[in-house]
């Protein structure tokens, strides 16, 4: 169709671009005149594309269309007018002129909230549902027939900005384009708006946004968030007009320690605390405000109300002075109407708008990747001098990070007080889940309840220095981490201390060394001469990496995957196993204390069906690393492919063969064979799932294994079970969750226990004919798994031959379980693909 786009702003720009992609001809763009020498984004983009752009200051005069303007419009020959967020008053002779009429986007579920401030009033009225309407324009105000509507939930702490960015903008663009698609197909409905439930609210202006304190906390919260960011809810405090931003409701009974702040008309004084400014409704309930803005435009964190003027300036180094001059140039490119950028130049008083804030934040990121700004940082530092001081302090790591608030569960155990975080860790903060959802974690050693863990229900500092600091903190807290690990997963404390925690610390130190060694290469090409062409590769971070880990090594699996992701410059969203989340939560606390920027590390406890599935499906996640069962790995791989073809690495099930030849060191083969099976209670992905023992030493080996087991585990009872000779330990503990160490001999290849992973303290022994190396290799490889394997022999030639022929990611020779942070680890076949550890970057 031939379409005229009548509107403005980035929303109009996105609609315009999508309509062009759909193949429609844009015959004209009608937008607003340039402001301070800057064109509206919609007009600027259309001009680049060579589309006719018209910037009429008005369409009608004294209620009638201006003939010259109407004539110019009609000359475009438009078949449909599309008006995204149209701010002009368009005469009916323009509205009705096209063959298909005119459609308008409106950010409310009409007929509710007719008028220009629909988003504000959706929040002010506390609506549980919001959304948008695309309707056919008529001579009323938002009264035309409905073509299309889409709704969303309004979150408790939504602001105009958050609901717009989350739903009204992206889905609104899609909905407007869908409406045009329906019109083109001749299927567009015209549903007359009902008058029942119709409301009209006038445009929300600053003068009307004053706070009436004689209301409940919920109503006050709705009023503040409904005016955030425009026009801003305000009140008089200390004789000046103060605007409130970033409101959130607090739980009933919430208390805070802070400095009282008298607010005229309020039921009780506010409290300035480390978290912000706590305000109270006439019902005694409370809300918290994060930021405040004064009459001169200066914005501060509410927590700094009584110390906002005490910040000392820092003297800039030569390198920082160079950065400051670069930013002076950026300010000049944005503030084109200003002759020169002085230290006192105010960004907003010089004509900058919200889109300019976004651009400034991105420009800083390009020039100083270690200075991660939020839009609020610009609002709080409006003069050039304050802005530079703020940036430099962030680059130095002196930006007064907020104190980490942790709600601990404490347990007295192992002669120490263990302090365990139990909330979600998101964007640098421990927070409750939506609706306060929790689940119990259980200590498997005695079956007792440990704590309620929050579950989720929805979704430059040197990296080297940060990783080393984190490893140091983990080492400082290693006994506490090992105790939590033992209590959460049932690991033996000494093993948890040495392996679960010890290797985790080694992993972060190892990958800290890779932070500055991730590099590409130059490649010789045929076309290098005569023009001296050069080809080189550059390795870039993937982006958001999701990590889903199992319960057998909760901290170590976290470290293996997280350390590599961070070293490569990625951010991490990690879901620990639902039954073992506690060391992950403690790790989150230590990472925050080490100084990792907010949002780099996020921990989301919960079920795999909910959290894991959402991470697999989420379009912003670009890589998912999973350790767990083959069945779930297949499901994750499918979800990742369907969602956005995200990269996947999988470490899945195993049935690792261990081949013991008659020329082995028998003492070592017995000792290491038992360890290969029973290490970490057999809850080990590379556990020797089946031992093949050469027949001329088979009986001797079995006797030795049983004897050592009796010495270690107590009396062993031999019995026959489905064709196997079974040795069952009579030793067990109560009332915890334990499985007795068990040995099966005479196991045949077709048996279930010979094929499927045990993942417990179960030793499975089979014999093979003496000298028949190829036959035992065939049997060892006759499995869909290929994670690890092993061989015991004094013959180095035999060892190398067997190692080459075994289909497994790791082959141990005369040892077992000897993983190392420098050695890549991963499997073949249905044991997965991709590697942890080693040179994985």
């Amino acid at each position: 169709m031939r379409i005229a786009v009548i509107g403005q702003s980035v929303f109009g720009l996105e609609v315009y671009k999508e309509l062009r992609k759909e193949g429609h001809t844009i015959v004209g763009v009608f937008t607003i005149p340039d402001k301070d020498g800057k064109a509206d984004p919609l007009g600027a983009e259309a001009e680049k594309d060579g589309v006719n752009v018209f910037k009429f200051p008005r369409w009608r005069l004294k209620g009638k269309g201006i003939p010259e303007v109407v004539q110019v419009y009609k000359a475009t020959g438009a078949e449909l007018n599309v008006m995204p967020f149209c701010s002009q008053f368009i005469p009916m002779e323009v509205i009705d002129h096209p063959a298909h009429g005119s459609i308008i986007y409106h950010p409310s579920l009409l007929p509710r909230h007719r008028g220009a401030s629909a988003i504000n009033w959706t929040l002010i009225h506390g609506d549980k549902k919001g959304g948008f309407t695309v309707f056919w324009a008529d001579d009323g105000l938002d009264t035309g027939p409905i073509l299309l509507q889409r709704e969303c939930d309004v979150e408790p702490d939504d602001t105009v900005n958050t609901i717009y960015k989350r739903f009204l903008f992206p889905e609104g663009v899609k909905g407007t384009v869908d409406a045009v698609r329906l019109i083109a197909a001749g299927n567009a409905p015209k549903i007359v708006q009902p008058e029942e439930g119709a409301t009209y609210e006038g445009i929300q202006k600053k003068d009307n946004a004053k706070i009436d304190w004689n209301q409940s906390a919920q109503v006050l919260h709705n009023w503040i968030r409904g005016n955030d960011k425009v026009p801003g809810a305000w009140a008089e405090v200390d004789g000046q007009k103060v605007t409130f931003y970033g409101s959130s409701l607090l739980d009933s009974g919430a208390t805070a320690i802070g400095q009282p702040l008298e607010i005229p008309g309020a039921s009780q004084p506010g409290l300035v605390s480390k978290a912000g400014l706590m305000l109270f409704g006439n019902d005694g309930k409370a809300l918290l405000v994060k930021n405040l803005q004064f009459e001169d435009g200066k914005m501060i964190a509410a927590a700094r109300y009584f110390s906002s003027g005490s910040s000392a300036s820092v003297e800039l180094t030569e390198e920082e002075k160079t950065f400051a001059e670069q930013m002076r140039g950026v300010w000049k490119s944005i503030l084109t109407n200003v002759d020169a950028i002085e230290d006192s130049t105010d960004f907003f008083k010089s004509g900058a708008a919200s889109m300019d804030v976004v651009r400034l934040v991105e420009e800083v990121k390009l020039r100083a990747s270690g200075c991660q700004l939020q839009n609020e940082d610009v609002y709080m530092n409006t003069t050039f001098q304050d802005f530079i001081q703020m940036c430099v302090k962030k680059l130095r790591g002196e930006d007064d990070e907020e104190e980490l608030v942790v709600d601990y569960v404490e347990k007295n155990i192992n002669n120490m007080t263990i302090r365990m975080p139990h909330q979600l860790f998101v964007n640098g903060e421990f927070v409750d889940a939506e609706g306060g959802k929790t689940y119990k974690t259980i200590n498997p050693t005695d079956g007792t309840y440990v704590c309620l863990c929050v579950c989720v229900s929805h979704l430059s500092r040197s990296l080297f220095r940060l990783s080393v600091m984190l490893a140091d903190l983990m080492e400082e807290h290693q006994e506490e981490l090992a105790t939590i690990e033992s209590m959460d997963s049932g690991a033996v404390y000494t093993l948890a201390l040495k392996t679960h925690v010890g290797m985790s610390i080694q992993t972060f130190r190892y990958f800290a060394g890779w932070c500055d060694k991730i590099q590409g290469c130059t490649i010789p090409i045929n076309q290098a001469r005569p023009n001296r062409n050069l080809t080189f590769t550059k390795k870039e971070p993937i982006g958001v990496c999701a990590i889903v880990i199992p319960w057998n090594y909760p901290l170590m699996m976290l470290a293996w995957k997280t350390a590599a992701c961070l070293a490569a410059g990625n951010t991490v969203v990690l879901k620990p196993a639902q039954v073992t989340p506690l060391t992950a939560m403690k790790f989150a606390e230590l990472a925050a204390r080490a100084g990792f920027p907010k949002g780099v590390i996020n921990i989301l406890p919960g079920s795999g069906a909910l959290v894991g599935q959402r991470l697999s499906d989420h379009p912003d996640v670009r890589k998912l690393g999973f350790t767990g069962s083959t069945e779930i790995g297949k499901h994750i791989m499918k979800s990742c492919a369907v969602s956005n073809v995200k990269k996947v690495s999988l470490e899945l099930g195993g049935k690792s063969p261990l081949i013991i030849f008659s020329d082995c060191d028998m003492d070592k083969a017995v000792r290491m064979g038992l360890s290969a099976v029973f290490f970490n209670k057999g809850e080990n992905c590379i556990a020797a799932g089946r031992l093949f023992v050469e027949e001329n030493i088979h009986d001797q080996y079995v006797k030795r294994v049983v004897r050592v087991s009796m010495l270690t585990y107590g009396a062993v009872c031999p019995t026959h079970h489905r064709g196997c000779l079974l040795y069952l330990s009579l030793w067990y503990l109560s009332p915890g969750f334990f499985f007795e160490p068990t040995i099966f001999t005479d196991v045949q290849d077709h048996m279930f226990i010979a094929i499927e992973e045990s993942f417990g303290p179960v030793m499975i022994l089979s014999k093979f004919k003496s000298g028949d190396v190829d036959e035992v290799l065939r049997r060892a490889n006759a499995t869909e798994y290929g994670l690890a394997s092993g061989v015991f022999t004094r013959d180095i030639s035999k060892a190398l031959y067997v190692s080459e022929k075994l289909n497994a990611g790791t082959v141990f020779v005369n040892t077992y379980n000897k993983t190392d942070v420098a050695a890549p680890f991963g499997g073949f076949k249905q044991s997965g693909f991709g590697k942890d550890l080693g040179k994985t970057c």
Side-chain angles (χ1 to χ4, degrees):
M1 283 192 295
R2 293 170 59 84
I3 295 175
V5 178
I6 306 174
Q8 64 187 86
S9 77
V10 177
F11 185 89
L13 164 62
E14 293 301 316
V15 170
Y16 159 83
K17 288 176 7 184
E18 292 301 316
L19 291 176
R20 279 173 56 88
K21 286 181 186 177
E22 292 274 310
H24 299 294
T25 301
I26 309 301
V27 295
V29 166
F30 297 82
T31 188
I32 58 175
D34 295 354
K35 183 179 180 181
D36 296 324
K38 292 188 293 185
D40 181 81
L42 170 59
E45 183 73 15
E47 286 173 344
K48 287 181 187 177
D49 295 334
V51 173
N52 289 325
V53 177
F54 307 95
K55 302 177 182 180
F56 302 130
R58 62 177 63 187
W59 286 75
R60 58 185 182 182
L61 190 62
K62 295 181 179 180
K64 295 183 178 180
I66 301 172
E68 296 83 357
V69 173
V70 174
Q71 192 58 40
V72 168
Y73 161 78
K74 289 183 176 179
T76 63
E79 298 173 296
L80 174 69
N81 293 331
V82 175
M83 297 191 278
F85 270 141
C86 176
S87 64
Q88 298 96 337
F89 292 95
I90 312 300
M92 287 307 298
E93 53 197 305
V94 171
I95 295 288
D96 293 336
H97 179 75
H100 296 292
S102 302
I103 60 170
I104 300 179
Y105 167 90
H106 186 75
S108 83
L109 296 173
L110 291 173
R112 189 162 171 77
H113 305 313
R114 294 169 177 169
S117 296
I119 310 176
N120 302 75
W121 290 102
T122 295
L123 300 174
I124 290 169
H125 284 295
D127 292 354
K128 301 299 183 185
K129 294 287 184 182
F132 64 85
T133 304
V134 179
F135 68 97
W136 300 92
D138 65 5
D139 57 356
L141 182 59
D142 305 330
T143 57
I146 294 170
L147 192 162
L148 176 150
Q149 284 187 326
R150 287 179 186 160
E151 69 174 32
C152 68
D153 292 328
V154 178
E155 302 294 339
D157 292 333
D158 261 332
T159 64
V160 173
N161 194 42
T162 61
I163 193 172
Y164 180 62
K165 284 187 174 180
R166 186 182 77 250
F167 185 82
L168 298 176
F169 183 104
E171 295 303 319
V173 171
K174 293 178 186 175
T176 304
V177 175
D178 287 345
V180 174
R181 197 177 291 132
L182 289 171
I183 294 170
N187 299 325
K190 290 187 177 182
I191 304 168
V192 176
Q193 285 193 43
E195 286 304 311
E196 183 180 354
T199 62
Y200 169 77
E201 283 89 17
I203 188 167
Q204 189 64 350
K205 297 181 179 179
K206 190 73 175 180
D207 290 345
N208 301 330
K210 186 175 181 179
I211 299 171
D212 175 6
W213 294 107
N214 189 28
Q215 300 180 93
S216 69
Q218 177 71 64
V219 173
L220 292 176
H221 167 64
N222 288 343
W223 183 261
I224 293 171
R225 70 188 183 120
N227 287 282
D228 183 350
K229 297 279 186 195
V230 178
W234 61 276
E236 289 184 3
V237 182
D238 286 339
Q240 60 179 322
K241 185 184 288 186
V242 177
T243 304
F244 299 79
Y245 297 110
S247 174
S248 58
L249 270 178
L250 296 177
D251 293 335
S252 56
T255 59
I257 300 173
Q259 192 168 349
L261 177 62
E262 291 293 336
I263 300 175
S267 59
Q268 63 186 90
L271 283 176
V272 177
S273 68
K274 291 179 179 180
L277 173 59
M278 183 181 285
L279 302 168
F280 298 89
N282 60 11
D283 57 354
K285 296 182 179 180
L287 59 145
L288 188 73
V289 169
K290 288 285 189 182
N291 300 318
L292 304 173
Q293 188 172 35
F294 300 102
E295 290 180 271
D296 62 0
K298 176 74 172 180
M299 183 180 282
I300 66 166
R304 299 178 184 175
Y305 182 84
F306 291 111
S307 58
S308 57
S310 62
S311 181
S313 296
V314 297
E315 187 175 343
L316 273 57
T317 65
E318 290 303 317
E319 184 178 358
E320 290 164 349
K321 288 177 181 177
T322 301
F323 168 74
E325 290 310 306
Q326 290 177 344
M327 295 315 303
R328 199 181 297 272
V330 171
W331 276 49
K332 184 68 180 73
S333 67
I334 295 173
L335 305 175
T336 55
N337 56 314
V338 177
D339 293 332
I341 305 299
E342 307 291 345
D343 285 351
S344 59
T345 301
D346 188 285
F347 193 66
F348 297 102
K349 291 180 180 178
S350 300
S354 58
M355 280 305 300
D356 298 315
V357 174
V358 176
R359 177 182 167 185
L360 181 58
V361 169
E362 291 302 314
E363 293 281 4
V364 172
K365 192 183 300 181
L366 287 173
R367 287 161 178 77
S369 59
C371 188
Q372 298 293 321
L373 299 188
Q374 304 297 323
N375 291 1
E376 286 75 12
D377 292 322
V378 181
Y379 287 108
M380 293 181 187
N381 299 275
T382 60
T383 67
F384 183 74
Q385 183 178 26
D386 289 345
F387 176 79
I388 291 299
Q389 287 283 316
M390 176 268 299
C391 289
V392 168
K393 287 178 181 178
K394 281 185 175 289
L395 286 167
R396 293 182 182 183
E398 301 171 357
D399 52 326
D400 296 328
E401 288 290 331
E402 295 177 14
E403 181 180 349
L404 183 67
V405 179
V406 186
D407 181 16
Y408 293 108
V409 170
E410 294 189 356
K411 294 282 183 181
N412 292 314
I413 191 170
N414 199 21
N415 297 318
M416 68 180 81
T417 299
I418 304 299
R419 306 176 75 205
M420 297 173 288
H422 65 111
Q423 296 167 290
L424 312 180
F425 187 71
V426 180
N427 198 29
E429 295 182 284
F430 285 101
V431 296
D432 285 335
E434 185 183 60
K437 294 183 179 178
T438 61
Y439 66 90
K440 290 183 178 181
T441 61
I442 303 298
N443 183 344
T445 61
D446 57 13
T448 60
Y449 153 79
V450 178
C451 73
L452 281 176
C453 193
V454 169
C455 61
V456 68
S457 60
H458 59 102
L459 253 226
S460 136
R461 291 176 176 173
S462 164
L463 272 172
F464 168 80
R465 181 165 59 86
L466 288 172
S467 296
V468 171
M469 287 175 65
L470 176 56
D472 289 346
L473 277 172
M474 292 172 71
E475 188 170 49
E476 182 182 332
H477 291 263
Q478 61 182 328
E479 288 85 3
E480 186 178 14
L481 286 167
T483 303
I484 296 173
E485 190 91 333
S486 180
M487 185 168 48
D488 205 23
S489 71
V492 176
Y493 173 76
T494 52
L495 178 65
L497 188 63
K498 180 181 183 297
T499 301
H500 292 226
V501 178
M503 194 174 188
S504 299
I505 295 168
Q506 293 172 15
T507 302
F508 274 96
R509 287 188 173 139
Y510 172 82
F511 279 106
W514 274 110
C515 292
D516 59 355
K517 300 176 184 67
I518 302 171
Q519 55 204 14
C521 59
T522 56
I523 303 172
I525 58 173
N526 292 333
Q527 292 79 25
R529 296 178 183 275
N531 295 323
R532 303 174 64 85
N533 292 330
L534 174 68
T535 296
F536 65 91
T537 62
K538 182 182 178 184
K539 294 189 176 181
E540 298 280 359
I542 293 171
V544 180
C545 294
I547 296 172
V548 181
I549 57 175
W551 48 265
N552 58 329
Y553 292 100
L555 185 62
M556 197 169 77
M557 292 294 96
L558 176 154
W560 282 21
K561 297 181 187 299
T562 301
C565 289
L566 296 177
N570 301 293
T571 59
V572 169
V573 182
L574 181 136
K575 191 203 88 65
Q578 185 174 5
V579 294
T580 56
L582 297 182
T583 42
M585 306 315 303
K586 189 67 181 180
F587 168 82
E589 178 198 343
L590 298 180
R593 298 197 187 285
F596 275 87
K598 291 182 177 182
V600 171
I601 296 171
N602 306 275
I603 310 292
L604 303 180
S607 71
L610 184 59
V611 186
Q613 185 63 54
R614 293 197 181 185
L615 291 175
S616 302
D617 293 336
H618 203 290
D620 291 338
V621 174
R622 292 298 174 185
K623 166 71 187 288
L624 191 146
F626 171 74
T627 295
S629 71
T630 297
E631 179 185 6
I632 300 301
K634 291 177 179 179
H635 182 79
I636 284 176
M637 190 173 178
K638 180 179 179 181
S639 296
C640 289
V642 170
S643 61
N644 61 345
V645 200
K646 58 175 62 73
K647 292 170 71 71
V648 184
S649 59
L650 303 172
E651 190 223 304
L652 308 175
K655 192 67 175 175
S656 302
L658 174 56
I659 303 174
I660 300 172
F661 288 99
S662 58
D663 61 352
C664 69
D665 178 332
M666 179 64 79
D667 289 338
K668 189 174 185 180
V670 170
R671 187 176 70 255
M672 298 301 294
L674 284 165
S675 175
V677 175
F678 296 139
F679 184 81
N680 200 48
K681 305 157 293 172
E683 295 164 357
N684 193 19
C685 54
I686 59 171
R690 189 176 180 192
L691 279 66
F692 294 91
V693 184
E694 196 163 3
E695 62 181 358
N696 55 346
I697 63 165
H698 175 268
D699 294 346
Q700 179 190 1
Y701 187 85
V702 171
K703 289 178 182 178
R704 295 276 296 271
V705 163
V706 171
R707 185 166 68 249
V708 173
S709 297
M710 291 177 66
L711 292 172
T712 305
Y713 305 118
V716 173
C717 175
T719 184
H720 287 275
H721 178 74
R722 295 187 180 180
C724 304
L725 182 60
L726 181 153
Y727 296 86
L728 180 66
S729 169
L730 300 181
W731 170 85
Y732 61 93
L733 291 177
S734 180
F737 309 136
F738 294 92
F739 187 91
E740 297 89 344
T742 304
I743 301 169
F744 288 91
T745 66
D746 301 327
V747 175
Q748 305 302 307
D749 292 354
H750 68 276
M751 293 179 177
F752 182 84
I753 56 173
I755 299 168
E756 292 301 323
E757 184 175 24
S758 304
F759 216 74
V762 179
M763 176 177 278
I764 296 164
L765 291 157
S766 299
K767 67 177 69 173
F768 67 91
K769 293 180 181 178
S770 296
D772 200 342
V773 177
D774 289 332
E775 175 60 16
V776 73
L777 281 170
R778 182 194 64 77
R779 294 172 64 193
N781 287 329
T783 172
E784 276 299 302
Y785 299 113
L787 190 56
S789 60
V791 54
F792 278 82
T793 177
R794 286 191 172 95
D795 186 337
I796 187 64
S797 297
K798 188 188 297 180
L800 292 174
Y801 178 79
V802 170
S803 298
E804 182 180 350
K805 297 297 183 181
L806 283 170
N807 297 328
T810 300
V811 181
F812 299 106
V813 178
N814 293 328
T815 188
Y816 210 87
N817 283 327
K818 296 297 181 184
T819 53
D820 187 87
V821 294
F825 180 90
F828 298 160
K829 299 187 284 189
Q830 291 195 45
S831 287
F833 52 84
K835 301 290 183 184
D836 289 321
L837 304 178
K839 191 179 177 181
T840 52
C841 301

